[in-house]
Amino acid sequence: MTKNLFACDLDNTLIHSYKHRAEGDICVEIYNGREQSFISCRVAELLKEITKKILFIPVTTRSIEQYRRINWLEGTAPKFAVVSNGANFLCNGEIDSAWQKDFYKNIQPYEEELFAQEKIFSQNENFSICRVVDKSFLFLKCCNGEDTEKIVAEIQAVTNLTVQSSGLKIYLFPPKLNKGETLLKLKKIFAPKKTFAAGDSVIDIPMLNLADCACNCGDANSALINFLEILNR
């Protein structure tokens, strides 16, 4: 039995983009030769401390390729990670084929629709990015000025996929490809005594709702301090 498990979203929870960089922040991702993502020094210190007490597993919508770009600081690198919003489980950066095969059962009934929607939206000039991520879900990025909530409602009305947004980003997921299902599977594998979770968006809510202790915020500093206080009791 794993005593405790910490499932944590990455972008805008644990790490942040260059747009929100503050003095002293540490770069953890370089993309196309440019510093892309950062972690604050304080959060890095807290993460080192909490990973000594708990099994830390990132749970992210990042693709396999995007996750592998992260350069974890010494003492913070997780052995395991769940990417593609649950479709893939990585152990030391390598894909777990059994997990992938199991989650593909949830994706397969919607695969044709995913690629059909990709074909439709790839021709829509309202989106600057349109792609199927790891053969698992469709990712769209709206152009600036678009009414994201209105677009989500319009798409949801014509698809069986789950449509969710975060800022200008819109995701079309097979219904069972969510972070709640991911946490249930992690509980089954690791049998933790207690589960902790942190996230910042609607995509994280299914995971947060199933955790014993959850923090719904974009402030990893507060979440980690809170969790450490609980663990130290």
Side-chain angles (χ1 to χ4, degrees), residues 16 28 66 91 148 172 185 198 209:
H16 52 271
V28 292
Q66 288 172 327
C91 178
T148 306
L172 281 72
K185 190 166 179 64
N209 286 342

Side-chain angles (χ1 to χ4, degrees), residues 101-114 135-136 174:
K101 183 178 180 180
D102 187 41
F103 261 78
Y104 182 65
K105 295 174 186 176
N106 297 327
I107 298 169
Q108 190 174 21
Y110 300 91
E111 194 171 41
E112 184 176 339
E113 184 171 1
L114 278 173
K135 300 181 180 179
S136 304

Side-chain angles (χ1 to χ4, degrees), residues 62-65 83-84 87-88 107 132-137:
R62 279 185 172 235
S63 68
I64 297 167
E65 179 185 352
V83 300
S84 323
N88 289 288
I107 298 169
V132 173
V133 177
D134 294 337
K135 300 181 180 179
S136 304
F137 64 87

Side-chain angles (χ1 to χ4, degrees), residues 150-220:
K150 180 182 177 182
I151 294 172
V152 166
E154 290 174 347
I155 298 173
Q156 190 63 83
V158 295
T159 181
N160 291 317
L161 300 167
T162 299
V163 187
Q164 296 177 312
S165 66
S166 178
L168 294 174
K169 299 174 183 178
I170 296 177
Y171 304 83
L172 281 72
F173 299 116
K176 287 192 175 182
L177 189 69
N178 63 69
K179 294 187 179 185
E181 292 290 331
T182 294
L183 188 57
L184 288 175
K185 190 166 179 64
L186 290 175
K187 285 183 177 184
K188 186 176 180 180
I189 293 171
F190 295 102
K193 182 179 179 181
K194 227 176 213 188
T195 55
F196 296 74
D200 72 297
S201 75
V202 65
I203 297 171
D204 301 309
I205 290 175
M207 175 175 72
L208 300 178
N209 286 342
L210 291 172
D212 297 303
C213 184
C215 186
N216 187 358
C217 67
D219 182 4

